[in-house]
Amino acid sequence: MMNLRCVRTGTLALLMLSSLTFSGCAGVKDKPAAEDLNLVMAGMDGTDGVSFEGAAALLIDGKTIPESSLYYGGKVADHNRVSLYSLLPDGGHPASAAESGPRSLEQGSGDAPVYYTRMVKEDGKWTMKKASPALGGSNPLEALNPLRQLEELEKMGKKVTEEAGSARGTRVLRIELTAEEARRQLSAELAQKMQAIKPAARIGAAAPADTQAKALAAKTALWEWEQKQTELQQRLNQADIRTVYYLKVDPKRNLPIRLTSNRTLTYPGKAGATTEEAYITQVDFYGYQ
């Protein structure tokens, strides 16, 4: 499982729903690719809920970083409430996202750690209402909210085309962010993650010796955080960033089946070598209500 409490040094990445009626509306297959996201979001607005399961992983120079792998599931309810839970790989779920409610998942199962978070959309923004204490300040589940991913994707600068050879009864949209949008997106994510793990440094002139020692340790941790932030920002400035999404759609119902993202970063590494990172996520939707 991913270490949910830390951002790895030297990496930048570690850091939709029922059918539309066809009266006055065309299906996805009858629209240009660039308009399909709007139809999918409209389709999602018409559903009461959906379940989903997905995975995320970081690869450096083609090799998966084991502790970066995260398997998760969750549910969307009432259009604006999302619950996400970490799962185990290869079917070894502490509890199935489709079968278990928040209470049983929060309690966990045996020795398997289970992480969770609940989010609600209020005044147009997603707000985290509850999260597993084990997440600490860093919460990767928050960024994996599939509703927010689609909503943000709809608004971003991008080029949308249709992939050839889609399975019968489906359509796959290829959505590539502009270079500026890809950089802006990653920069915002990185800033949010770094802020979440920023340590506090407080010291008082008349504080007891043990308190001063703790304050000095906190001050040192803050200095290390600042150094780390500077290093990550430098690498971000030097990196070539490319972000591509693939959205598999049911064109009859205007509903998403699968959303995949692939963010690739290339930047100078040690001894003049080039380092390539790929952060990949995939989420499958099922059980529309």
Side-chain angles (χ1 to χ4, degrees):
M1 287 297 256
M2 177 189 287
N3 185 337
L4 300 177
R5 296 188 178 186
C6 68
V7 176
R8 286 181 57 86
T9 300
T11 67
L12 298 173
L14 283 184
L15 321 148
M16 283 197 187
L17 305 139
S18 72
S19 60
L20 286 174
T21 62
F22 287 88
S23 174
C25 298
V28 165
K29 62 183 179 181
D30 300 323
K31 289 286 185 180
E35 298 181 25
D36 293 342
L37 278 176
N38 293 333
L39 285 176
V40 169
M41 292 307 300
M44 292 184 64
D45 287 342
T47 190
D48 291 329
V50 64
S51 296
F52 56 87
E53 290 189 4
L58 174 69
L59 291 77
I60 298 182
D61 291 332
K63 298 181 179 179
T64 302
I65 306 303
E67 59 267 39
S68 76
S69 298
L70 175 65
Y71 302 87
Y72 63 97
K75 292 182 178 182
V76 178
D78 301 330
H79 313 288
N80 63 351
R81 294 191 294 113
V82 176
S83 299
L84 294 102
Y85 323 97
S86 64
L87 304 172
L88 298 179
D90 304 323
H93 299 39
S96 169
E99 297 174 356
S100 299
R103 178 173 301 176
S104 61
L105 284 164
E106 290 169 13
Q107 293 172 344
S109 176
D111 297 328
V114 179
Y115 305 99
Y116 64 91
T117 188
R118 297 177 185 170
M119 304 185 69
V120 176
K121 190 175 183 180
E122 298 174 329
D123 299 325
K125 295 182 180 181
W126 287 98
T127 303
M128 185 169 61
K129 292 298 184 180
K130 190 173 184 179
S132 168
L135 289 172
S138 181
N139 184 2
L141 291 177
E142 184 177 0
L144 294 171
N145 174 359
L147 280 190
R148 187 170 72 175
Q149 286 180 316
L150 284 169
E151 290 169 356
E152 292 179 348
L153 185 56
E154 185 182 18
K155 302 173 184 177
M156 290 178 177
K158 58 193 175 292
K159 179 181 179 180
V160 185
T161 56
E162 182 178 0
E163 287 286 284
S166 301
R168 185 176 181 180
T170 66
R171 191 178 186 187
V172 177
L173 307 178
R174 182 183 185 277
I175 307 162
E176 181 168 0
L177 300 187
T178 64
E180 296 79 6
E181 193 71 74
R183 184 174 298 277
R184 185 207 63 76
Q185 181 194 48
L186 178 56
S187 181
E189 291 179 9
L190 179 59
Q192 182 179 17
K193 290 179 180 180
M194 291 302 294
Q195 190 62 34
I197 62 171
K198 182 178 181 179
R202 299 185 180 93
I203 187 167
D210 61 335
T211 302
Q212 288 200 10
K214 292 178 181 179
L216 181 59
K219 207 168 185 177
T220 301
L222 179 60
W223 179 84
E224 292 175 347
W225 175 89
E226 291 172 344
Q227 294 295 108
K228 188 174 182 180
Q229 183 182 42
T230 299
E231 177 187 353
L232 292 177
Q233 188 60 53
Q234 289 174 345
R235 294 196 177 186
L236 176 62
N237 293 339
Q238 296 173 343
D240 292 325
I241 308 168
R242 186 183 185 191
T243 303
V244 180
Y245 293 81
Y246 294 90
L247 180 61
K248 187 176 183 180
V249 176
D250 177 346
K252 293 183 178 180
R253 300 190 298 162
N254 294 328
L255 294 174
I257 299 173
R258 170 179 293 173
L259 177 64
T260 303
S261 71
N262 189 327
R263 173 191 285 153
T264 304
L265 297 87
T266 306
Y267 56 89
K270 296 181 179 179
T274 298
T275 298
E276 181 179 278
E277 295 183 10
Y279 182 62
I280 301 171
T281 69
Q282 177 177 298
V283 59
D284 294 309
F285 302 87
Y286 60 93
Y288 283 99
Q289 299 175 8

